[in-house]
Amino acid sequence: MEADVDRDHSWSSMLAVVAAVLFVGVGIALIASAHVAGSERPAQERIAAVAPEAVSDAVPAGNTSTVPLPVGARAPLVAADPAWTGRTAVATGIPERALRAYASAALTLKAEQPACGLGWNTLAGIGAIESAHGTHSGGRLDDAGYPQPAIRGIPLDGSASAAISDTDGGVWDGDAVWDRAVGPLQFIPSTWQKWGADGDGDGVADPNQIDDAALAAGRYLCAAGEMTSASGWRRAVFSYNHLDSYVDDVAATADAYAARVAG
């Protein structure tokens, strides 16, 4: 993704919609996958956080592509096991509908890009901070995976953010003058044009729908490179939001979720 888009995403994530509570910590949990077999549990490895790397605004070194995977390289969607998501939702406090999206996206990416190493709990950590899993300001996710009411960030008019004029005609964000961050994972429309995904298999890529947003976020993270090391993990999450404090918050939240499942 271009530098200006990354930076704009950071502003929108920071200023538009955040969860009521931010978790701060020093560890990261790297989870191999969310398992389809209900009796299995993710393997956990806790790694002390390293000093923040000097990550450029450009696509990090080691990335082999600056655009989403071509359609032919994408794996079929893989659904998480309902028994696993039900138990894990109780253990973590994550709404089951949101957890299903995170776990299914991680499983799909395990098949699609096995070297990436993205875990369900990383997506859950991002979802918690961006919108409290689609429940920002007392809202909820409906059965179809849409926040009710819809989640819209502030207009990116330059007054409290970078200025981004409308790029979608208001289709996704309801604003035909300025762009706004949209949905449970807070994509701006110009970012979605590049990374939009169809995570629920309905033929539409919609940033307001949590399966779509989770799969798009996963592909975006994997484009930064592998996430199986502390440095790779931090680089990927930093690419989502260019703030070291954001990376630390996601790490602590992801760790907490993994610990509740493993405990």
Side-chain angles (χ1 to χ4, degrees), residues 13-39:
S13 297
M14 181 179 163
L15 297 170
V17 179
V18 296
V21 179
L22 297 182
F23 300 85
V24 179
V26 296
I28 66 172
L30 299 177
I31 304 303
S33 69
H35 295 283
V36 173
S39 62

Side-chain angles (χ1 to χ4, degrees), residues 39-232:
S39 62
E40 295 176 323
R41 295 194 303 184
Q44 180 185 13
E45 179 183 8
R46 296 181 65 87
I47 301 176
V50 296
E53 293 185 330
V55 182
S56 70
D57 287 342
V59 176
N63 180 29
T64 58
S65 175
T66 60
V67 297
L69 291 173
V71 173
R74 296 174 185 170
L77 299 177
V78 181
D81 175 51
W84 184 91
T85 58
R87 291 194 310 272
T88 304
V90 172
T92 59
I94 300 170
E96 194 277 337
R97 186 64 187 84
L99 183 62
R100 192 192 323 163
Y102 305 143
S104 296
L107 285 169
T108 298
L109 284 161
K110 182 183 179 184
E112 183 178 279
Q113 302 182 57
C116 174
L118 174 68
W120 65 269
N121 59 319
T122 293
L123 291 173
I126 291 173
I129 292 170
E130 295 292 350
S131 71
H133 309 300
T135 68
H136 176 71
S137 295
R140 65 178 182 85
L141 282 176
D142 65 21
D143 291 343
Y146 287 88
Q148 301 296 339
I151 299 174
R152 301 286 185 269
I154 60 170
L156 301 177
D157 58 7
S159 61
S161 68
I164 310 177
S165 298
D166 174 65
T167 61
D168 68 333
V171 171
W172 298 125
D173 58 10
D175 190 334
V177 178
W178 300 101
D179 269 354
R180 298 171 182 254
V182 175
L185 290 175
Q186 287 292 274
F187 279 94
I188 60 174
S190 57
T191 306
W192 190 255
Q193 288 174 12
K194 190 171 189 178
W195 291 94
D198 178 14
D200 61 355
D202 67 352
V204 177
D206 187 340
N208 297 286
Q209 204 279 333
I210 196 163
D211 300 298
D212 295 356
L215 184 56
R219 286 180 177 150
Y220 181 90
L221 292 167
C222 287
E226 55 78 24
M227 300 186 71
T228 56
S229 67
S231 60

